């Protein structure tokens, strides 16, 4: 969980699992096979790039709705010592968990407790919980904590400690463990995971795995005595970085040319520790390496578990959707797309009322974060898992967040389902019993009494379980609108703070643009640079490039192909100003995009208040001429090139918006940052502008909502072959009389409400099916429609 505090792990007092010599030999033989299969990862520290194979599905109709429970009241990743009464007490807890409505528990194994001495595995806690869960009709997901590493690892490999860029060496205090780039540590990790996998697979209660909670280079520890810490600069990570550079540049001469350096030997090459005025290509390489390293480290874990388990799904989850984090973080932030490619599912933690948040998440923030996480899996034809969903009031010492109530819990769970999740794990059954999060985040009270929010969560869990097959055989309604998520744009200026006036402009631009369509219930996908490069954009009629100030040549070429094939690309100011090396383009837009977009930058000026006025044009349907569109931070005066048509001007009459036709498609270049402006100012004209561009590209909404305050009514659809699940959320503080008109590909034969299992009335009108509902403030309406 976010901001988890760890103290020394408690060792269980039972004997190790393997007692009989013959059984021990057989188990070691199986594990040795697994280690040999993972030899490449152990020897090189770099996993194979191939995507992880999907496992055989256990039960297509079983949708796991879990609550975190590890046996007793101890907080993860700690484990409670087992005694003679453990089975009875844990069994009573599991009875309550099932009675409330959950069908799964998510338990955990921490390395320090499970392997107290090298090769001596103690899985007594896991074995007992698996047995009890099976007896009580519950499935089990196993969370693995390697960050809580045994002390003997540090004693055997003292040079495997993490090192900050300042040179400070980190001694583990139950956390953060030791660097996996050390081959000895990596080998021990693989052996442990293979043994754990073999042990858990003895139980039919096992449902799946979560092999890495909230991945970073370094986890579960903070270092206030270090200024801007960054990891890891140990000798082994540096050696791995050099191998990454060899793969990219092939020769030392090529690296020297790229970095403007004069290395004579590869062993002289080090990661950059500070910025210079000359170039920051070295920094960009370092950040790209960290992204690849995290993804490869995930694959090492996945492969080790998979070596002894060919059946169950293997997953991981981020600390938060990557939309809300920065790839420049010194602890290492994962790229959700790269992580998703290396596991069966990749997901996220979700804490909308975390005590460390400046305020509770808005409906917009929750929806955007979930769509972002969903999009990362969508690129590979996968769903996503929610590794942790907040269960109770956030607490960090005396920093106590707003209470979590029953309405919060059911709303969050339904939102997760509406976005296409394939699993939910509520964190946690009991509140935290120790650490600086003490008494926080629990679904029930620490004395065991059941809360209203636990009952509410259980009711939703039961409803989902009843309709598990329907949910699992449907996916979110396909999007025709794509927004490029481009991590390079966060790094203009390298590690030197830049554009501080703009704040987190890339993130805010993404959310602002997303919001324009979210308010109209128009589905949106975020897409990754690799989606553009690999030509995975065919389903989208329009591609937005917000805040595109740094762009690789490969992505630029992908945008050209997309437009040539008939797509519409819309880009904001300073398109491809910098390339992937951090070098300025001779012409802006760079990378040959000036010709594609039919304009180039003439002058750019910082301006406090920016307005662009539209010209009369059929290219902006529904938008009258002289409509004022807000920009932000800069006016980029555009010079139209051959074929470029001016759609809007700045106050001085210079070109602000230029449209061009290229190949079979169209482009629009905007000389400011209107998505950022919409995030900050929420100007109605800006939304109308974005919607007009989408309409011109052929985006056709599949549903229409008519009711007072329609923008506060959110409708989500999960679409199957002959069935759709409709989820309607009234976000307003007043009653809403909702009319939803939906275009369906078939004739309805049945429509039923989930919460009360009763028929839903509807009418057909002009090719649309119309549903009416009187919704109270905050009410959620879920129903299924089946066709014939």
């Amino acid at each position: 969980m976010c901001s988890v505090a760890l103290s020394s792990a408690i060792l269980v007092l039972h004997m190790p699992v393997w007692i009989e010599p013959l059984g021990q030999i057989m188990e070691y033989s199986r594990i040795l096979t697994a280690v040999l299969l993972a030899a490449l990862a152990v020897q090189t520290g770099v996993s194979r790039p191939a995507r992880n194979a999907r496992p055989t599905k256990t039960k297509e109709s079983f949708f796991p709705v879990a609550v975190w429970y590890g046996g007793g009241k101890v907080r993860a990743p700690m484990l409670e010592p087992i005694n003679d009464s453990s089975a009875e007490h844990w069994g009573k807890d599991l009875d309550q968990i099932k009675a409330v409505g959950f069908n799964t528990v998510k338990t955990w194994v921490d390395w320090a407790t499970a392997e107290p001495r090298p090769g001596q595995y103690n899985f007594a806690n896991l074995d007992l919980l698996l047995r009890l869960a099976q007896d009580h009709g519950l499935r089990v997901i196993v969370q693995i904590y390697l960050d809580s590493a045994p002390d003997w690892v540090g004693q055997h490999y003292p040079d495997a400690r993490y090192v900050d860029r300042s040179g400070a060496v980190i001694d583990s205090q139950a956390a953060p463990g030791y660097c996996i780039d050390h081959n000895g540590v990596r080998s021990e990790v693989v052996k442990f995971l293979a043994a754990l996998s073999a042990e858990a697979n003895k139980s039919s209660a096992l449902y799946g795995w979560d092999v890495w909670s909230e991945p970073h280079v370094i986890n579960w520890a903070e270092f206030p005595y270090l200024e801007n810490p960054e990891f890891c600069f140990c000798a082994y990570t540096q050696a791995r970085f050099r191998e990454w550079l060899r793969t990219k540049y092939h020769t030392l001469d090529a690296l020297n040319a790229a970095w403007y350096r004069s290395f004579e030997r590869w062993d002289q090459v080090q990661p950059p520790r500070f910025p210079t005025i000359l170039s920051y290509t070295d920094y960009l390489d370092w950040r790209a390496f960290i992204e690849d390293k995290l993804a490869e480290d995930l694959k090492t874990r996945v492969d080790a578990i998979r070596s002894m388990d060919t059946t169950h799904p293997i997953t991981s989850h981020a600390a938060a959707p990557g939309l809300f984090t920065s790839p420049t973080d010194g602890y290492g932030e994962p790229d959700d797309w790269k992580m998703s490619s290396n596991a069966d599912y990749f997901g996220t933690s979700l804490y909308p009322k975390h005590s460390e948040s400046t305020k509770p998440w808005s409906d917009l923030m929750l929806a955007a974060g979930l769509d972002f996480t969903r999009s990362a899996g969508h690129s590979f034809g996968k769903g996503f898992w929610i590794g942790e969903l907040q269960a109770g009031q956030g607490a960090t010492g005396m920093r106590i967040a707003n209470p979590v109530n029953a309405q919060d819990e059911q709303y969050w769970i339904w939102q997760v389902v509406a976005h296409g999740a394939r699993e939910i794990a509520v964190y946690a059954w009991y509140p935290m019993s120790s650490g600086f999060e003490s008494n926080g985040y629990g679904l029930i009270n620490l004395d065991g009494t059941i809360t209203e929010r636990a009952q509410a969560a259980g009711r939703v869990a039961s409803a989902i379980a009843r309709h598990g097959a329907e949910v699992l055989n449907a996916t979110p309604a396909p999007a025709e609108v794509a927004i490029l998520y481009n991590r390079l744009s966060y790094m203009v200026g390298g590690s030197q703070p830049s554009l501080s006036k703009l704040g987190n402009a890339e993130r805010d631009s993404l959310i602002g643009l997303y919001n324009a369509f979210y308010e109209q219930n128009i589905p949106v996908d975020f897409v990754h640079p690799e989606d553009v490069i690999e030509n995975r954009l065919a389903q989208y009629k329009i591609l937005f490039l917000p805040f595109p100030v740094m762009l690789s040549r490969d992505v630029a070429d992908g945008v050209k192909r997309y437009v040539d094939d008939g797509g519409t690309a819309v880009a904001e100011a300073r398109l491809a100003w910098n390339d992937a090396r951090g070098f300025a383009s001779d012409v802006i837009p760079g990378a040959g995009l000036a010709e594609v977009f039919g304009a180039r930058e003439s002058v750019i000026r910082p301006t406090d208040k920016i307005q662009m006025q539209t010209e009369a044009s059929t290219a902006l349907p529904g938008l009258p001429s002289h409509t004022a569109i807000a920009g932000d931070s800069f006016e980029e005066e555009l010079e139209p090139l051959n074929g470029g048509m001016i759609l809007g001007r700045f106050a001085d009459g210079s070109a602000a918006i230029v449209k061009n036709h290229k190949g079979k498609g169209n482009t629009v270049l905007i000389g400011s940052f209107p998505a950022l402006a919409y995030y900050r100012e929420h100007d109605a004209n800006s939304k109308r502008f974005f919607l007009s561009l989408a309409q011109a590209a052929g985006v056709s909404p599949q549903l229409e909502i008519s009711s007072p305050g329609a923008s506060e009514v959110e409708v989500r659809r999960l679409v199957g072959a002959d069935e759709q699940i409709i989820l309607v959320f009234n976000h307003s503080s007043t009653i809403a009389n909702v009319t939803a008109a939906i275009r369906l590909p078939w004739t309805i034969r049945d429509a039923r409400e989930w919460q009360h299992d009763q028929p839903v009335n509807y009418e057909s009108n002009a090719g649309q099916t119309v549903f009416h509902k009187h919704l109270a403030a905050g009410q959620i309406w879920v129903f299924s429609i089946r066709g014939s």
Side-chain angles (χ1 to χ4, degrees):
M1 149 177 201
C2 295
S3 306
V4 172
L6 304 181
S7 56
S8 298
I10 302 172
L11 297 181
V12 296
L13 302 179
H14 277 46
M15 293 293 289
V17 172
W18 300 333
I19 299 175
E20 297 180 337
L22 179 59
Q24 187 172 15
I25 292 170
M26 293 175 66
E27 292 291 351
Y28 271 117
S29 176
R30 294 179 68 198
I31 294 165
L32 178 59
T33 301
V35 173
L36 291 174
L37 289 173
L40 177 64
V42 174
Q43 291 172 3
T44 67
V46 179
S47 304
R48 299 180 302 278
R51 295 173 191 165
N52 187 55
R54 295 290 299 277
T56 303
K57 294 181 179 179
T58 50
K59 288 184 180 179
E60 191 63 21
S61 63
F62 184 83
F63 187 108
V65 186
V67 65
W68 281 65
Y69 177 77
K73 298 182 180 181
V74 294
R75 63 149 309 144
M78 300 166 68
L79 291 171
E80 179 178 278
I82 294 176
N83 57 40
D84 292 340
S85 64
S86 292
E88 179 184 358
H89 291 152
W90 294 11
K92 289 180 179 179
D93 284 340
L94 293 177
D95 278 336
Q96 274 196 320
I97 288 169
K98 186 172 183 180
V100 163
F102 293 97
N103 60 15
T104 305
V105 291
K106 188 169 186 178
T107 192
W108 56 88
V109 173
D110 80 295
W111 188 14
T113 302
E115 192 180 1
R117 285 172 288 281
Q120 180 179 321
Y121 302 109
N122 188 335
F123 299 127
N125 287 58
L126 177 62
D127 288 341
L128 177 58
L129 191 69
L130 284 166
R131 177 174 64 80
L132 292 172
Q134 184 168 336
D135 292 345
H136 290 75
L138 294 166
R139 302 299 298 275
V140 178
I141 298 168
V142 179
Q143 176 70 64
I144 302 169
Y145 288 105
L146 297 177
D147 317 275
S148 176
D151 289 338
W152 62 260
V153 176
Q155 294 165 6
H156 284 207
Y157 310 108
D159 54 347
R161 293 176 294 174
Y162 290 105
V163 179
D164 172 48
R165 64 178 168 182
S166 68
V169 178
I170 307 300
D171 288 312
S172 185
Q173 301 172 181
Y178 304 93
C179 185
I180 198 172
D181 293 334
H182 189 293
N183 284 344
V185 173
R186 185 175 293 265
S187 177
E188 301 292 354
V189 163
V190 169
K191 287 187 289 185
F192 170 72
L193 292 177
L196 173 59
S197 182
E199 182 66 22
N201 267 277
K202 297 174 182 176
S203 172
S204 60
L206 179 66
Y207 180 82
W209 300 89
D210 189 326
V211 295
W212 201 353
S213 173
E214 303 181 348
H216 295 87
V217 173
I218 193 166
N219 262 16
W220 316 130
E222 298 288 338
F223 310 101
Y225 58 90
L226 297 176
E227 184 174 354
N228 298 321
E230 188 169 320
F231 298 96
C232 178
F233 284 75
C234 73
Y236 300 95
T237 301
Q238 292 196 47
R240 186 171 171 185
F241 180 46
R242 285 191 285 271
E243 289 305 308
W244 185 92
L245 292 169
R246 282 179 183 266
T247 300
K248 177 176 180 177
Y249 291 106
H250 304 295
T251 69
L252 200 55
D253 287 342
L255 175 66
N256 282 329
W259 283 20
Y260 197 69
R261 302 292 290 276
S262 54
F263 299 116
E264 296 180 352
R265 302 185 314 275
W266 277 103
D267 61 9
Q268 295 175 325
V269 180
Q270 295 186 15
R273 298 173 189 263
F274 53 85
T276 72
I277 200 172
L278 303 178
S279 164
Y280 56 91
T281 306
D282 53 356
Y283 176 77
L284 295 174
D285 281 338
W286 173 241
R287 299 319 311 173
F289 160 74
I290 292 296
E291 293 174 9
D292 287 349
K293 165 184 153 54
L294 289 169
E296 291 162 359
D297 290 347
L298 173 59
K299 193 168 192 304
T300 294
R301 298 174 185 229
V302 170
D303 287 349
I305 293 293
R306 182 63 72 216
S307 69
M308 305 300 284
D309 184 341
T310 60
T311 303
H312 303 101
I314 305 174
T315 73
S316 173
H317 68 276
L323 179 62
F324 306 139
T325 64
S326 171
T328 64
D329 187 273
Y331 284 73
E333 283 291 344
D335 180 324
D336 289 6
W337 273 258
K338 291 180 179 179
M339 302 298 275
S340 185
S341 73
N342 280 342
D344 296 322
Y345 299 101
F346 187 69
T348 187
S349 291
L350 214 60
Y351 289 90
K353 286 188 172 181
H354 198 284
S355 56
E356 294 299 305
S357 297
T358 55
K359 58 183 178 181
W361 289 15
S362 65
D363 299 322
L364 164 66
M365 189 172 178
L366 179 62
L370 285 169
D371 267 331
F372 186 92
T373 297
R374 174 192 59 77
S375 294
H378 172 73
S379 289
F380 306 99
K382 303 176 181 181
F384 67 97
W385 282 26
I386 293 298
E388 303 173 34
L389 177 64
Q390 184 171 355
Q393 188 169 25
T396 307
M398 288 303 295
R399 186 176 180 133
I400 300 173
N402 290 335
V404 173
N405 58 39
Q407 173 65 20
D408 291 330
E409 206 60 43
Q410 64 179 3
Y411 167 55
W412 295 340
I413 296 175
W414 281 127
Q415 275 284 320
V416 167
V417 172
H419 284 79
R422 292 296 182 251
E423 172 270 4
I424 303 165
V426 177
Y427 190 98
W429 183 244
Y430 281 108
M432 304 300 96
S433 58
S434 63
F436 56 71
E437 291 175 332
S438 190
N439 212 45
Y441 304 102
L443 195 59
I444 68 170
N445 295 318
L446 200 54
D447 65 2
T449 53
I450 303 296
T451 63
E452 288 184 9
R453 66 181 177 275
Q455 293 171 338
R459 286 192 295 271
V460 179
S462 296
I464 296 168
R466 289 195 302 271
H467 297 274
E470 299 165 55
V471 176
L472 291 171
N473 289 302
T475 55
E480 297 178 328
V481 178
I483 300 174
L484 179 65
Y485 167 66
N486 177 31
R487 290 165 75 93
L488 281 177
S489 287
Y490 289 82
M491 296 186 235
V492 173
S495 62
Q496 185 76 9
S498 63
L499 298 176
S500 57
K501 174 187 173 185
L502 300 186
N504 196 331
E506 172 72 5
R507 178 200 65 195
D508 295 350
S509 297
L510 290 164
I511 297 174
L513 186 53
Y514 173 89
N515 190 25
F517 295 95
Y518 164 75
E519 291 174 333
Q520 299 303 119
N521 288 293
I522 297 175
V524 171
D525 285 347
F526 293 95
V527 295
H528 189 271
E530 285 298 315
D531 293 324
V532 181
I533 294 168
E534 297 296 327
N535 303 315
R536 294 196 289 255
L537 303 180
Q539 80 175 72
Y540 307 111
K541 294 183 176 178
I542 191 167
L543 169 66
F544 286 94
L545 290 80
F547 205 73
V549 293
M550 186 183 289
L551 207 67
S552 74
R553 169 68 71 169
D554 288 343
V555 172
D557 289 344
V559 171
K560 296 174 194 175
R561 291 192 298 273
Y562 170 73
V563 173
D564 283 339
D565 289 341
T568 295
V570 178
E572 292 187 318
R574 307 234 90 185
L575 173 61
W577 162 32
N578 289 276
D579 63 17
R581 305 170 302 151
F583 279 53
S585 300
D586 294 342
V587 174
I588 302 172
L593 291 175
E595 290 75 18
V596 177
F597 281 81
R600 62 175 290 172
E601 178 182 292
S602 175
V603 176
I604 186 166
R605 61 181 71 86
T607 306
D608 290 332
K609 188 171 180 60
I610 298 169
Q611 282 199 338
M612 301 169 282
Q613 286 206 341
T614 61
E615 306 265 272
S617 173
T618 57
L620 294 173
L623 202 65
S625 60
H626 305 298
T627 299
I629 312 299
D632 199 290
S633 302
F634 296 100
E635 289 183 350
E636 181 189 41
E637 184 179 318
L638 302 176
E639 175 189 335
L641 303 177
N642 291 336
M645 180 177 69
I646 297 175
L647 296 184
R649 298 181 184 273
F650 293 116
D652 65 358
S654 61
I657 307 170
V658 173
K659 176 183 180 294
N660 192 38
H661 180 75
K662 188 77 167 63
K664 298 178 183 178
N666 297 289
T667 61
V668 177
L669 185 61
I670 308 165
S672 191
F673 300 119
L676 183 60
Y678 189 64
Y679 176 82
R680 294 175 174 174
E681 301 174 22
H682 206 246
D683 175 68
N685 282 346
S686 297
K687 178 170 76 172
R688 292 170 62 199
F689 173 58
F690 294 131
L691 295 174
S692 177
L693 290 170
Q695 183 182 344
V699 174
S700 176
Q702 295 299 303
L703 66 88
E704 297 176 6
I705 303 297
S706 56
S707 70
S711 65
E712 293 189 83
V713 176
E714 178 184 357
V715 181
R716 296 274 168 175
R717 294 185 301 135
L718 298 174
V719 179
D722 58 358
E723 183 172 7
Q724 292 196 17
I725 303 166
I726 315 296
L727 301 97
V728 185
F729 302 86
N730 179 15
H731 295 309
S732 73
S733 57
T734 59
I735 294 170
N737 294 307
V738 177
T739 298
I742 305 173
R743 295 194 187 112
L744 297 171
W746 27 251
T747 303
I748 294 181
R749 62 178 171 85
D750 182 43
R752 296 195 71 82
E753 195 173 276
W754 280 23
Q755 289 99 322
H756 305 293
D757 192 26
Q758 62 188 25
V760 174
N761 295 323
Y762 61 89
E763 59 192 55
S764 297
N765 183 18
Q768 294 182 322
T769 303
V770 181
F771 301 88
H772 303 280
K773 184 70 173 179
H774 181 83
L775 292 179
Q779 186 176 349
I780 302 164
W781 182 33
V782 183
F783 62 97
S784 296
I785 47 180
R786 296 179 179 88
S788 58

